Amino acid sequence: MKLRLIGHDSLYALEQIQLVLFPGDKAERTDKPFAGDGAVSRLSVGKQYLTATARITREGVTYRGVARCPVETADEALKRQILRQSYYRAALPFLPEKPAWGALSGVRPTKLVTRELLRGGTRSSADRLLRDVYDVSPARRQLCLDAGEASLEAWNKQAPGDVSLYVGIPFCPTRCVYCSFVSADIQRAGHLMEPYLDALEQEICAAAEGLRHSPHRIRTAYMGGGTPTTLSAKQLARLLDTLRREFDLSECLELTVEAGRPDTLNPEKLRVLKEAGVTRISVNPQTMDDRVLSLLGRSHTGSDILRAYDEALAAGHEDINMDLIAGLPGDTPQGYLKSLRQVMGLGPTSITVHTLALKRSAALFYEKKTTLPTGQEVEEMLSGGNALLREAGYRPYYLYRQKYMTGSFENVGWCRHGYENLYNIYMMEEMHSILSLGGGGMTKLVRDGRISRLSNPKYPQEYIRDMESIAEKKREVSL
């Protein structure tokens, strides 16, 4: 879809709202007048008001939208807000139904609620903001408000100088068809695991050296991937020993390891994790339906999940998360809710519900071998599942959205009271610095409300090759 901007240059803001509302249409910017289908976004300055107008034409039909704000309060954020609002209002008549998240296009909607609460607002005032400014549906407002209150609780557990630690292990037994992460299949990249660990230990030591030069407190630590438990028990013990030796974790509230796929778990690994002080693990089925698991390319069954969960309990793990995905190929609302009930029956402390995001780097995007559930079917999965989770005593504690997500819905972490994963909140809400180690790690340094980023090479080969320069940069990190 052609997109012309007049009086402003907020291309990214318009591209994002267009992507959410018309996911099949890529924005094609033009600076010249055009006839036919496309969108024109204009920003005009008057004596009292800054006015954003949008005109959208599709198949010869045109609708317009308008939004405005007082000139005296119009900072850059508010300008982008009214530009998105005007575009949203022009787009609404073309849509089969009102989007669940209204005019919100960002990945972190909870930030709006958290900011409102931190500046003295109430749940009611935050609800009005989501309703009146962004036109968010009642169900999504409730999710966002609940998660915002959990974020406020996490905020109050911080102190100046706090930092969280992330360690990435970019290896998996096989690659799932929906996966867009940089993750190496060990059938082809298993020979890189030992060199990768050697390099990772170098980065850990360099980062620890850098931290010693600034006051800090590691508040949460998280090992993700990939699938960290693709490593052997010996390799896991070695890595966790290195982390505890190099970093002061005495005030760390939680240490999470994504145990992930049951085909990587056994009693020995689970015992190693427990003895190393891991406080929370994830055992992630994504679905309990063997047929759907096969379509995903996962080499385990639902019964393997049950076995792994029992082994985790036997090893002494009490805080266990389980992930499910709504919208998987071949799944149905009935099948998804059956999987959810099975998972809930195990009694995990938290359940994370993802909505399938069809990323271009995933095999599912370009192979298109199976039929995906419709947006309406995914909404049935999510709404039915949310009701079950609330009834069972789980509450939303963090959420985020992604591009190319079916129905433009959301991912939500649900937990029993007191089992919030603080790392997820701190990372997603960008409340304090996240020091990221490993291939593809993205360090976020939060200083005075500003965020600077330092990225590691994505692929294991590049990460290993470039370790000398990576380690040097980590020694120079200043919190």
Side-chain angles (χ1 to χ4, degrees):
M1 180 190 293
K2 291 181 180 179
L3 177 60
R4 186 183 179 201
L5 309 182
I6 301 175
H8 70 92
D9 198 34
S10 297
L11 178 62
Y12 183 77
L14 273 297
E15 284 180 328
Q16 294 310 297
I17 189 67
Q18 180 173 304
L19 179 64
V20 169
L21 301 176
F22 303 114
D25 292 338
K26 183 179 179 181
E28 299 176 11
R29 182 172 181 177
T30 178
D31 294 323
K32 298 179 181 179
F34 61 88
D37 290 359
V40 178
S41 172
R42 182 189 299 269
L43 192 65
S44 305
V45 183
K47 290 183 178 180
Q48 291 183 293
Y49 291 100
L50 191 68
T51 303
T53 59
R55 185 184 78 242
I56 300 177
T57 301
R58 293 171 68 85
E59 298 181 356
V61 178
T62 300
Y63 290 102
R64 292 172 173 80
V66 179
R68 66 180 186 175
C69 67
V71 170
E72 60 185 18
T73 62
D75 59 11
E76 288 302 315
L78 197 51
K79 289 178 185 178
R80 291 192 295 270
Q81 177 181 298
I82 63 171
L83 287 166
R84 286 191 294 262
Q85 283 177 317
S86 64
Y87 190 98
Y88 170 76
R89 291 166 182 170
L92 268 181
F94 292 106
L95 306 179
E97 57 187 1
K98 186 181 291 187
W101 283 100
L104 277 177
S105 59
V107 300
R108 298 177 175 87
T110 311
K111 270 191 168 185
L112 294 169
V113 175
T114 307
R115 287 174 184 156
E116 175 68 12
L117 296 176
L118 284 172
R119 61 174 171 243
T122 64
R123 183 180 175 101
S124 295
S125 64
D127 185 55
R128 288 194 297 272
L129 173 68
L130 294 173
R131 182 193 66 197
D132 298 342
V133 176
Y134 296 101
D135 201 24
V136 179
S137 72
R140 264 60 196 187
R141 295 204 306 270
Q142 185 179 15
L143 283 176
C144 204
L145 292 166
D146 289 344
E149 290 180 337
S151 294
L152 185 63
E153 294 173 14
W155 176 273
N156 291 330
K157 293 179 181 179
Q158 295 184 113
D162 278 2
V163 62
S164 287
L165 187 65
Y166 178 84
V167 180
I169 307 296
F171 297 96
C172 279
T174 58
R175 187 172 178 85
C176 299
V177 296
Y178 59 79
C179 183
S180 61
F181 291 103
V182 176
S183 181
D185 183 333
I186 59 169
Q187 302 300 321
R188 292 176 293 180
H191 65 285
L192 293 174
M193 291 174 70
E194 275 294 325
Y196 179 84
L197 274 181
D198 291 340
L200 180 56
E201 287 191 355
Q202 291 181 55
E203 188 185 15
I204 289 170
C205 293
E209 182 181 336
L211 282 186
R212 293 186 189 108
H213 301 302
S214 60
H216 71 279
R217 179 177 65 165
I218 295 178
R219 208 60 173 146
T220 72
Y222 194 104
M223 189 183 298
T227 306
T229 45
T230 303
L231 300 176
S232 68
K234 184 177 179 181
Q235 290 169 329
L236 284 168
R238 167 188 167 189
L239 177 54
L240 289 163
D241 285 347
T242 301
L243 288 173
R244 287 200 169 276
R245 183 185 70 241
E246 295 298 324
F247 293 110
D248 179 4
L249 301 182
S250 61
E251 295 189 74
C252 185
L253 295 173
E254 60 186 31
L255 171 53
T256 299
V257 172
E258 287 187 3
R261 291 173 50 157
D263 45 337
T264 67
L265 293 176
N266 58 44
E268 183 184 10
K269 290 184 185 181
L270 291 162
R271 176 182 54 78
V272 163
L273 296 178
K274 184 64 178 177
E275 291 178 352
V278 172
T279 61
R280 179 180 184 269
I281 63 170
S282 288
V283 179
N284 300 334
Q286 315 304 5
T287 175
M288 296 296 287
D289 188 324
D290 290 350
R291 179 183 57 84
V292 178
L293 285 169
S294 178
L295 290 173
L296 299 181
R298 291 172 79 93
S299 54
H300 66 83
T301 64
S303 61
D304 292 322
I305 289 287
L306 302 179
R307 183 263 310 161
Y309 193 89
D310 286 342
E311 290 175 352
L313 293 177
H317 293 282
E318 299 175 351
D319 192 354
I320 303 175
N321 172 74
M322 302 186 80
D323 281 9
L324 290 173
I325 299 178
L328 289 173
D331 208 354
T332 64
Q334 296 77 17
Y336 169 80
L337 293 175
K338 181 180 178 181
S339 290
L340 178 58
R341 289 188 180 96
Q342 286 179 273
V343 165
M344 290 170 57
L346 297 173
T349 52
S350 59
I351 298 174
T352 304
V353 176
H354 298 271
T355 300
L356 181 69
L358 196 57
K359 299 295 186 69
R360 295 179 185 274
S361 57
L364 189 60
F365 177 85
Y366 53 83
E367 290 182 356
K368 304 185 187 301
K369 293 180 179 179
T370 55
T371 301
L372 296 174
T374 64
Q376 180 58 44
E377 288 174 320
V378 174
E379 168 64 9
E380 289 180 42
M381 296 176 186
L382 295 174
S383 60
N386 293 355
L388 289 174
L389 286 160
R390 287 190 184 278
E391 184 179 352
Y394 292 89
R395 72 159 183 166
Y397 75 92
Y398 92 112
L399 68 85
Y400 65 101
R401 302 172 69 205
Q402 293 174 276
K403 295 178 183 178
Y404 313 113
M405 186 174 271
T406 306
S408 293
F409 292 122
E410 66 284 322
N411 302 323
V412 182
W414 297 79
C415 71
R416 299 192 185 281
H417 182 67
Y419 287 96
E420 296 82 2
N421 183 229
L422 294 172
Y423 171 84
N424 282 334
I425 297 175
Y426 292 143
M427 178 271 299
M428 191 52 59
E429 298 300 299
E430 300 177 326
M431 290 183 176
H432 62 224
S433 295
I434 308 291
L435 180 61
S436 294
L437 311 172
M442 175 66 74
T443 292
K444 292 185 179 182
L445 301 175
V446 181
R447 303 187 188 95
D448 302 321
R450 297 181 178 273
I451 299 173
S452 57
R453 293 170 171 82
L454 176 65
S455 61
N456 282 351
K458 291 182 178 181
Y459 299 100
Q461 299 95 323
E462 298 171 352
Y463 176 77
I464 294 166
R465 181 196 67 201
D466 297 343
M467 181 42 58
E468 186 174 339
S469 62
I470 294 169
E472 187 58 36
K473 289 178 182 179
K474 283 299 190 297
R475 290 188 190 95
E476 297 173 355
V477 167
S478 177
L479 298 177

